Structures are given as C-alpha cells and as structure tokens.
Amino acid sequence: MPRTRLIRRCVRRPLLALLTATALLLGAGLAPAGPAAAAPSPSAPDEGGSKQLRAALEAAAKGHIEAKARLDNSKRRQVALTAQLKQLEVRLVELTSQVGEVAAQSYRVGRLTPVSMLLASSDPNSFLKRAAELDVMAQRDSKRLHDLNEAKAEAARAKLAIDGEVREQQKQLAILAKKKRDAEVALAKVSSGSGSGFSGGSASARPAPRNPDGSWPSESCSVNDPTTSGCITPRTLHMLQQAKAAGYKRYVSCYRSGGDGEHPKGRACDFAAASGGFENVSATGGDKSYGDSLASWAKNNANRLGIMYVIWYRQIWMPNTGWRAYSGGGSPAADHTNHVHISMY
C-alpha cells in the first residue's frame, strides 16, 4: 500500500470517530430530558370528541359555573340583608317604645307650650330656663320620630332587596337547570349513562383568586407553561401547582398548539397515568389507582380551582351532571384511559 494512502487512512479513522462522538454528544444535549419527554403524544388532534361536542360541553359547563357564582353571591347578599333587617327590627321596637313614652306623657300632663310655661313661671329667669328645657325636649322627641321613620324606611328597603335576591336566585336556578339539560344533550352523543366515579383525592386545594362578587376573573394564555414551551392561564398554573402539592407529580402536558379545545388556549392539562410518561395502553394496577385518585381530587376541588370538567377512564365529570360514561373513540388516548384530562374555566 502506498505510504500516502496509509497516512490518509490513519488520519481518517480518528477523525470519523471524533465526528461520531461529537454528534452523539450534541444529540444527547439537544434531546429532551427524562423518559416522559420522549414518550408518544397522549392524544389525537380531536381529543374530547368533535369540535361541536367540545363547544357544547364548554358552554354548558361555563354557564353552570357562572350561574352558580351568581347564585352563591345572591345567597351571601340575602344573608347579610336578613341580618341587617333583624337589627333594624330590634331598633324599630326600641324607637317605637321611646316615641310611645313621649305620647303617653303628653297625654297625662298635657303638651307643654310657651304660654303654659309662661303662666307657670314666677320670674323671667324661670321662664327662660323652662323654654330651654322645652327646646331640648322638642329636639329629642323630633330625633326619635326621625330615627323611627328612617328605620322603617330602611327596613322596607331591606325587605325589597331580599325579595330581589330571591328572584335572582330563582333566575339562576332556572339557568342551572337549563345548563344541566344542555350538558346532558351534548353528552348523549358520547355517553351511555351515569358513571360510577372514582375514589380518593382530598378536597384541600388552596382556592384560586376570584372577583369580589365570587365570579372567576377572565384570563388569557399569559404565563409560561412549565410543562411545555407554550403558555397557560394563571388559573391553570395554580391548578397545576396545587396538583403537584397534593402529590400528583407524574408527567404532565398542558399547552398544545393547533386544533381547538382548551389546550391551545392554555386552559387544559393532560396528566399521564404511568410513572414513565404517556403510554399507548390503558392504565392498570398502580397507574390506574393514580389516575383514579387524581380524577377524584380534581372533582373534589373543582369549585376551589375553577375546573370546568374532568375526563378519565371512559368517564367525564361536569359540575352539573356528575360522573357520566364517556366514549372517545376506542383508543387509550381518545377514551382517556392513559391520562387524566382537566379543562379549566
């Protein structure tokens, strides 16, 4: 073999080895860390059924949550107004008694007038003193009468306000009933009846911030999603943090670009049941227990966190229907037997 060719071969081999090692190192540095990150996608593009179904479920759930917030707020106002009315009624009894005493005294001794006081006065100084006493008594009696009339008017206003709250509650109850019917109609396409639900999961999540009237503030996809490179709403992030604090620390994926539903809006998260991430098989054993507990936890804390609905293991939970049977298409992803789906308000 010529000397020149031998030298080239000797140089080429270490160079190829170096390039191969470099490529492997770069590949290792660019690959996502952890087994869950390399796992297959948990769901099909139309997860949760058709676009029409998702829109119907969202409308029914949102309508229920909003009506429930108004109903609860109205009940709080009614309680406050009722307490105020009771205080006013006690005050009315006191003022009525005081005014009655003035009337009874006037009946017994006759009403004092400047003329009668002048006749009963022995000198000018006595007359001036009695005139001052008369002025004080007149102011006192006038204030009692004014307070009595004002208390009566305020009590009447409180009663009217309570009646208004009762009407508001009746209105919101009617809306809740309608939204329940809407949800049942929508679910009829993917549900065969009532579900059995799942056990486990505490109800101790820290509540998400609400408006002063108890409603949920409007939020956009404005904070970084710690599970992807996308964004989620602050309320979704709060739910995610509370789930982790409750011990649900397996792989999660929230934001997903493209398509429709809540994922692209940053208002939904998929929680893998398997400890290694999303798997294209239905969960069993400990993985099934983990999903059961997580789904139950989400349901138990839905009102605290602003959860709109939960889907897990061929069942869907909504606040106005409870657990219902659910069929998403037959695969572990579509039937949600390999991950728990949580949609936020």
Side-chain angles (χ1 to χ4, degrees):
M1 177 182 297
R3 181 178 178 84
T4 303
R5 183 179 298 176
L6 178 62
I7 293 174
R8 287 177 180 173
R9 180 175 296 179
C10 292
V11 172
R12 186 182 301 154
R13 286 177 179 173
L15 181 58
L16 288 173
L18 177 62
L19 290 174
T20 302
T22 302
L24 289 173
L25 288 173
L26 288 175
L30 293 173
S41 173
S43 55
D46 60 347
E47 176 187 0
S50 66
K51 180 179 180 180
Q52 291 76 13
L53 173 62
R54 283 194 298 273
L57 292 178
E58 180 180 350
K62 286 180 66 175
H64 173 91
I65 292 171
E66 291 169 357
K68 182 67 165 55
R70 295 191 186 101
L71 177 64
D72 292 343
N73 193 40
S74 178
K75 288 181 177 179
R76 285 192 293 269
R77 289 197 301 265
Q78 182 182 3
V79 169
L81 287 167
T82 301
Q84 178 187 357
L85 180 59
K86 288 181 178 179
Q87 293 176 351
L88 287 169
E89 288 173 341
V90 172
R91 179 69 173 149
L92 277 172
V93 171
E94 296 174 353
L95 291 171
T96 301
S97 176
Q98 293 175 5
V99 172
E101 291 175 2
V102 172
Q105 182 179 8
S106 297
Y107 177 78
R108 288 194 305 269
V109 302
R111 186 171 180 82
L112 290 175
T113 65
V115 174
S116 62
M117 292 183 70
L118 177 61
L119 293 175
S121 301
S122 58
D123 55 63
N125 288 333
S126 177
F127 174 80
L128 292 174
K129 180 180 178 182
R130 287 178 178 271
E133 291 174 350
L134 177 63
D135 183 59
V136 171
M137 292 173 61
Q139 291 182 18
R140 181 198 64 192
D141 295 345
S142 177
K143 185 177 186 305
R144 286 176 177 174
L145 287 170
H146 175 271
D147 290 347
L148 177 61
N149 291 330
E150 183 62 29
K152 286 181 177 179
E154 194 170 353
R157 289 193 294 269
K159 289 179 180 178
L160 286 174
I162 290 174
D163 291 342
E165 295 303 335
V166 171
R167 290 192 297 272
E168 173 67 15
Q169 290 166 31
Q170 292 172 341
K171 174 184 174 182
Q172 297 307 325
L173 285 171
I175 293 175
L176 287 173
K178 180 181 183 303
K179 294 303 178 182
K180 180 178 181 179
R181 291 193 297 271
D182 292 345
E184 289 173 343
V185 170
L187 286 173
K189 299 178 181 179
V190 292
S191 177
S192 57
S194 299
S196 58
F198 306 97
S199 60
S202 67
S204 57
R206 181 167 57 86
R210 289 178 180 261
N211 292 321
D213 64 355
S215 62
W216 292 111
S218 177
E219 295 182 347
S220 61
C221 194
S222 58
V223 298
N224 291 333
D225 177 11
T227 71
T228 70
S229 59
C231 62
I232 54 178
T233 67
R235 195 157 45 245
T236 303
L237 177 61
H238 177 76
M239 179 275 295
L240 196 59
Q241 292 169 338
Q242 289 301 296
K244 184 176 180 180
Y248 304 104
K249 301 180 180 180
R250 295 184 179 180
Y251 184 72
V252 187
S253 178
C254 297
Y255 178 82
R256 186 162 61 242
S257 63
D260 47 47
E262 285 79 37
H263 283 289
K265 301 173 185 176
R267 293 191 340 217
C269 292
D270 289 331
F271 293 76
S275 58
F278 297 118
E279 297 179 354
N280 195 29
V281 294
S282 295
T284 58
D287 295 343
K288 173 68 161 53
S289 299
Y290 177 86
D292 289 354
S293 178
L294 173 56
S296 181
W297 173 87
K299 182 266 294 183
N300 293 339
N301 292 283
N303 190 51
R304 292 180 176 87
L305 300 174
I307 292 175
M308 193 161 58
Y309 59 83
V310 183
I311 311 177
W312 164 243
Y313 228 88
R314 303 186 189 93
Q315 293 190 54
I316 180 171
W317 178 88
M318 297 178 67
N320 45 6
T321 64
W323 286 107
R324 297 286 300 270
Y326 178 87
S327 176
S331 69
D335 283 344
H336 296 74
T337 56
N338 67 347
H339 71 284
V340 178
H341 173 92
I342 299 178
S343 281
M344 303 296 296
Y345 177 82

